[in-house]
């Protein structure tokens, strides 16, 4: 059973930066694809970024501002968020799945963290 714990959310002004971290336990980390999703109030959970052995992929609205990374030695996956905008405000979730298949829908993932709130003020 893979267990995920996010940290690093908070309140920041527009244009600021935050770094989210996801600590993974209970699985073989190198065999997992890692992703970040977010969910704003009243909206569906949406894909933000993913990383696996093939590479990284981002939602268009965060390209050039967000960077996903992973440390296979520490079993962590991070999301560096720069140039934050009010529309980035949401609860951010870390997700994991075994390699293979598709990676862009919440339904593709069975392991989720509890979420961390990111609020960007204008």
């Amino acid at each position: 059973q893979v267990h995920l714990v996010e940290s690093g959310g908070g309140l920041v002004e527009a244009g600021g930066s935050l770094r989210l971290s996801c600590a993974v336990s209970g699985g073989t980390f190198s065999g997992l694809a890692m992703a970040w999703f977010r969910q704003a109030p009243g909206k569906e959970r949406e894909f933000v970024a993913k990383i696996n052995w093939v590479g990284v992929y981002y939602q268009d609205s965060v390209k050039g501002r967000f960077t996903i990374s992973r440390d296979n030695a520490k079993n962590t996956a991070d999301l560096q968020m720069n140039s934050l905008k009010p529309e980035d405000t949401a609860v951010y979730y870390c997700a994991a799945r075994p390699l293979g298949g598709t990676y862009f829908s919440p339904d593709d993932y069975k392991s989720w963290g509890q979420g961390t709130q990111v609020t960007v003020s204008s």
Side-chain angles (χ1 to χ4, degrees):
Q1 183 74 15
V2 176
H3 185 58
L4 312 176
V5 178
E6 301 102 335
S7 61
L11 172 64
V12 64
E13 292 184 350
S17 299
L18 284 173
R19 188 177 184 89
L20 307 182
S21 186
C22 177
V24 181
S25 59
T28 302
F29 185 71
S30 60
L32 297 173
M34 300 299 301
W36 287 91
F37 286 77
R38 66 187 181 187
Q39 188 166 18
K43 295 188 177 181
E44 295 186 350
R45 192 168 298 189
E46 65 174 2
F47 170 82
V48 175
K50 71 92 173 175
I51 184 169
N52 62 1
W53 66 275
V54 175
V56 300
Y57 193 88
Y58 299 95
Q59 180 199 109
D60 284 346
S61 69
V62 307
K63 284 181 181 177
R65 301 188 297 121
F66 290 12
T67 303
I68 189 171
S69 61
R70 64 189 292 159
D71 187 329
N72 286 346
K74 296 182 179 180
N75 288 6
T76 58
D78 291 355
L79 185 68
Q80 176 66 43
M81 306 185 295
N82 298 328
S83 302
L84 283 161
K85 304 175 181 179
E87 51 263 45
D88 294 318
T89 295
V91 177
Y92 283 69
Y93 296 91
C94 177
R97 62 154 292 153
L99 298 176
T102 57
Y103 299 102
F104 307 115
S105 167
D107 294 336
D108 296 330
Y109 296 81
K110 292 185 177 180
S111 300
W112 292 87
Q114 81 285 357
T116 185
Q117 177 70 47
V118 171
T119 303
V120 184
S121 63
S122 58

